[in-house]
Amino acid sequence: MSDKVEFDLYSILAVTHRLPSTARQFRTILAHILGVEINQVPGAGLAALTVAPDCALWLLEQHPQLRTIPAPPDFDGDEDAMDTWAAQQAEVLGTERLPIAPLPPNRPRRDSLGDVLDTIADIRGDLNMIVIVDPTKPDFGLGKPSDD
């Protein structure tokens, strides 16, 4: 029996390409990848800063063809444009769904409060500066560069 579960490309791109998605959609795929219940995944914002980068790398390892997808444009909140862009990527890949396996149990992951602080310090240089976050922006406006 396989632990793989098929997910829609939109959910996958929310993790790999930071395509805006709902918090539940985002946390559902992360929960599967991490092999935990959804309530054990940190809130979508914290998950974006901690576990999402590891999950994105795992998704790209499983499906290298995702690396051919360009970064999404700024949709300026236009959900129809987001859906259209995701559909275009599915057309290019030739599929709307991909099977996703959970992370291997021995693979290290970052998901503690210390990891969140390390990530913020990494992005901003240190923890001694005041940072104003904007919950309406990807990565809360912290500007985390891509891991690729």
Side-chain angles (χ1 to χ4, degrees), residues 1-57:
M1 183 169 132
S2 172
D3 291 337
K4 290 185 178 181
V5 172
E6 281 196 356
F7 281 89
D8 62 282
L9 189 60
Y10 194 108
S11 295
I12 294 166
L13 294 176
V15 179
T16 59
H17 290 70
R18 300 186 192 144
L19 182 61
S21 68
T22 66
R24 182 155 187 83
Q25 179 182 22
F26 186 70
R27 291 175 68 207
T28 299
I29 189 170
L30 294 182
H32 170 71
I33 294 169
L34 297 172
V36 299
E37 298 295 323
I38 191 168
N39 63 354
Q40 293 177 304
V41 176
L46 287 179
L49 291 173
T50 58
V51 297
D54 294 334
C55 292
L57 290 175

Side-chain angles (χ1 to χ4, degrees), residues 8-11 13-14 17-22 25 69-90 136-138:
D8 62 282
L9 189 60
Y10 194 108
S11 295
L13 294 176
H17 290 70
R18 300 186 192 144
L19 182 61
S21 68
T22 66
Q25 179 182 22
I69 296 175
D74 180 4
F75 297 107
D76 197 30
D78 183 346
E79 292 185 22
D80 289 336
M82 293 175 210
D83 292 341
T84 299
W85 184 85
Q88 289 169 342
Q89 306 320 307
T136 65
K137 292 186 178 177

Side-chain angles (χ1 to χ4, degrees), residues 20 24 30 37 46 58 60 75 82-84 90-92 99 104-106 111-112 139-140 143:
R24 182 155 187 83
L30 294 182
E37 298 295 323
L46 287 179
W58 177 238
L60 293 170
F75 297 107
M82 293 175 210
D83 292 341
T84 299
E91 190 173 308
V92 169
N106 60 344
D111 57 6
S112 70
D139 296 332
F140 293 101

